[in-house]
Amino acid sequence: MHKFVENIIAFALRNHILVLFMTGLLLVAGIICYRNTPIEAYPDVTNTRVQVITQWPGRSTEEVEKFVTLPIMQQLNTIPRKTDVRSTSLFGLSVVTVLFEDGVDDFLLNNMLQTGCRT
């Protein structure tokens, strides 16, 4: 083992330009790999969800439910890959939450909501 280490050191001293070039190449490759590696320290494990919040000031809960919440829920029920549609109606406020399957792409979801829910 001692002879092996001596040979490596002797090679590095004889070919110092090659060693510097390889070190630089290794450094550049490491920087490129570091920048292209997707690192997510705290992964988001929740389902993809969309909330539609609508205000209609001065209206009762029943009016908000009948004229705002139910039509929005009917439109959102046609979206593919959804798992659940939930709603809450309050005095002058409607909140509709749509939950989607795992793996739904946010870009695809954005396009579906912009093109598919227009009335």
Side-chain angles (χ1 to χ4, degrees):
M1 184 72 174
H2 183 54
K3 188 72 170 165
F4 180 71
V5 174
E6 284 181 3
N7 288 338
I8 291 175
I9 292 173
F11 176 80
L13 291 175
R14 280 189 309 250
N15 302 309
H16 61 278
I17 293 176
L18 178 65
V19 171
L20 287 175
F21 176 73
M22 295 301 282
T23 303
L25 189 65
L26 189 62
L27 179 70
V28 170
I31 290 172
I32 290 172
C33 290
Y34 176 75
R35 292 188 59 130
N36 291 330
T37 301
I39 297 174
E40 191 170 337
Y42 302 103
D44 185 16
V45 295
T46 61
N47 292 353
T48 304
R49 69 176 64 199
V50 174
Q51 282 190 327
V52 179
I53 301 172
T54 310
Q55 291 181 334
W56 195 14
R59 301 297 178 172
S60 68
T61 304
E62 290 82 14
E63 288 177 316
V64 171
E65 178 80 23
K66 182 177 179 183
F67 295 113
V68 178
T69 305
L70 289 177
I72 290 174
M73 286 184 66
Q74 288 174 349
Q75 289 295 315
L76 293 177
N77 268 326
T78 62
I79 295 176
R81 299 187 67 187
K82 69 165 177 42
T83 57
D84 199 10
V85 179
R86 301 175 184 169
S87 69
T88 302
S89 296
L90 302 171
F91 182 76
L93 179 69
S94 168
V95 179
V96 179
T97 304
V98 183
L99 300 173
F100 291 91
E101 296 174 358
D102 290 336
V104 173
D105 185 29
D106 291 338
F107 180 74
L108 174 69
L109 181 63
N110 189 25
N111 286 340
M112 284 191 306
L113 290 175
Q114 287 181 355
T115 59
C117 294
R118 290 186 182 152
T119 56

